[in-house]
Amino acid sequence: MSFEIDVSGFDEFAAKLSRLSVVDIAEPVVRKAGVEVKKSMRADASGHRHAPRLAQSISFDVKRSANAIEVQVGPKRDEPTPGYRGKGKGGSLAWYWLGNAKTAPILPHPDRYAKREAEQTVRHLVAALRRALR
């Protein structure tokens, strides 16, 4: 038994890949996923009677390095807790989504939005890479 593998196209493919910055191609796609997760979290948090401005405090930050893009979505850390009437900051808002020793979670966990966006993001990344490799 014998077989043959034609690798003639791999050199051209490797040359195209070496000219690409995958992070540049992926950044707009990943940023869009962050916006979608933010919108979903804001929709869940809007109209909360104990923290009426909670939805407006949810934002996202993008951190980029040479080979990675990280999106963090959630309440802004440098602002007081919406609806908090005490001095200074009201503390972590994570208990709205995670609960604490005294209360159960009030809002749906944001992982569900990340999972939903993950599938779409992979499809969009593949499409963007295909366009770039043409």
Side-chain angles (χ1 to χ4, degrees), residues 28-128:
V29 175
V30 174
R31 187 177 292 273
K32 175 68 173 161
V35 169
E36 293 302 318
V37 171
K38 178 186 81 166
K39 284 181 185 177
S40 298
M41 286 181 70
R42 280 186 170 185
D44 279 347
S46 67
H48 194 279
R49 69 178 180 183
H50 296 296
R53 294 187 319 265
L54 178 61
Q56 288 85 0
S57 75
I58 298 169
S59 67
F60 76 101
D61 292 323
V62 178
K63 293 180 182 177
R64 179 182 165 152
S65 66
N67 60 356
I69 302 167
E70 178 184 352
V71 177
Q72 293 181 345
V73 182
K76 296 174 191 161
R77 294 181 182 186
D78 58 343
E79 293 186 3
T81 301
Y84 180 71
R85 300 192 198 305
K87 292 183 180 180
K89 298 180 181 182
S92 173
L93 296 175
W95 67 271
Y96 279 103
W97 291 273
L98 304 175
N100 62 21
K102 296 179 182 178
T103 64
I106 296 170
L107 298 172
H109 199 284
D111 276 356
R112 69 187 191 145
Y113 309 120
K115 289 176 185 175
R116 181 184 66 204
E117 284 302 316
E119 290 180 21
Q120 294 176 9
T121 301
V122 168
R123 283 196 305 271
H124 292 300
L125 284 172
V126 168

Side-chain angles (χ1 to χ4, degrees), residues 13-32:
F13 180 67
K16 284 183 179 181
L17 277 178
S18 69
R19 292 189 300 265
L20 291 179
S21 168
V22 177
V23 175
D24 287 341
I25 294 166
E27 185 175 1
V29 175
V30 174
R31 187 177 292 273
K32 175 68 173 161

